[in-house]
Amino acid sequence: MSNAFRELLRKVGSGNHTGKNLSREEAAAATRMMLLEEATPAQIGAFLIAHRIKRPTGEELAGMLDAYSELGQTLQPAGFSRPVTVLGSPYDGHDRYAPVTPITALILAAAGVPVVLHGGDRMPTKEGVPLIEIWQGLGVNWDRLDIGQTQHVFEKTLLGFVYLPNHFPHAYQMVPYRSQIGKRPPFSTLELIWCPYAGDAHIIAGFVHPPTEGMFQDALALRGIQRFTTVKGLEGSCNLSRDRTAIIGIQEPDVPFERILLPPRDYGFDGSDLPFESNAQLVEQMQAVLQGKPSELMQSAIWNGGFYLWRCGVCADMPAGIAQAEAMLTKGAVAEKLAEISKAVSSVQLTPQV
């Protein structure tokens, strides 16, 4: 048992009247002790549920990110001309609507924007489809690469995937606690703004509840992050919905935080978001999009691709971004990027273990 951790647990778990928020340094220490298993399982479970009930603060999230930066492997600066876009989506995935995050990443990479994704396997409490399984269905086995091999693919193709079981096992070993406590712990908020890239980055963070966005702003400001985008997206991801107005927050260096609203109908993209039914069907639908075939998922891919091409500085405005995203999909540029990445991953992948 860790006596030091017990004091931090007592602080967050003492209730509304006597409980206190942790300082940034205390939150970093608590996270470090959990990741390194210096705290006991009983202490860790108690802390996670108590912290969820209390709700983390921006300062606490900043401290937790400090510990992640210290203990997690990250991709290294590669001399890109553009900031690396980090797409942050919930690790427990989608189970209601079809995500387009992999296609968005491919569009950006094909347009010259370096992109980093991160996540793990099926994860409580939602157990939705994780990004790694979608990539596997598309023929890209990120799960077979160590961090050095991922770095090589990233530098060669402009797309990388930081896979927790291989690259950050300390964080991945916390997954069973999510199932055992039956609720999303603060780590599920933290992962949306974690940046597993050590250079100049543009963080894209999905969220559901407005208070979460405020915590993101506070945490990232304390961490000195001056370029990020918040998206009230599908199932808390960075996927823009076609069924409602997109609520976007934009932060650029030395510029006040800006709120923009993007109604899909104003750009001809209003409609229903495609339901998610199975991995196999989703991969089949994505393959059709990559072949340039019209579909509801194609419309979502163009809508999202157009926004991110504009937001990442490739296009001057939304109409130009939409036009470029459609052209890239229908003329095969995105499919070519997928083939390039698949080939690069296959050429360096780890030998499967017997």
Side-chain angles (χ1 to χ4, degrees), residues 1 23 35 103 114-115 140 153 163 187 200 207 241 276 337 342:
M1 182 185 73
S23 68
L35 294 178
I103 297 178
V115 182
V140 182
V153 173
Y163 178 57
F187 286 117
D200 185 20
F207 72 95
S241 172
F276 171 78
K337 175 57 70 172
S342 180

Side-chain angles (χ1 to χ4, degrees), residues 64-82:
M64 296 172 75
L65 287 170
D66 292 342
Y68 263 49
S69 295
E70 176 187 340
L71 298 174
Q73 295 188 83
T74 58
L75 296 172
Q76 297 303 302
F80 299 123
S81 59
R82 297 179 182 272

Side-chain angles (χ1 to χ4, degrees), residues 267 305-307 309-310 314-327:
Y267 298 88
F307 167 72
L309 286 172
W310 166 64
V314 176
C315 297
D317 52 34
M318 276 290 293
I322 289 168
Q324 180 161 333
E326 182 173 16

Side-chain angles (χ1 to χ4, degrees), residues 46-88:
F47 185 94
L48 293 180
I49 196 66
H51 205 202
R52 175 188 167 82
I53 293 170
K54 182 189 78 66
R55 301 295 182 185
T57 65
E59 183 176 1
E60 289 171 337
L61 288 178
M64 296 172 75
L65 287 170
D66 292 342
Y68 263 49
S69 295
E70 176 187 340
L71 298 174
Q73 295 188 83
T74 58
L75 296 172
Q76 297 303 302
F80 299 123
S81 59
R82 297 179 182 272
V84 170
T85 295
V86 179
L87 297 174

Side-chain angles (χ1 to χ4, degrees), residues 28 90 151 156 165 174 194 214 222 259 278 280:
Q151 180 81 31
K156 185 175 182 180
M174 301 299 296
W194 180 45
L222 288 169
R259 169 77 65 223
S278 70

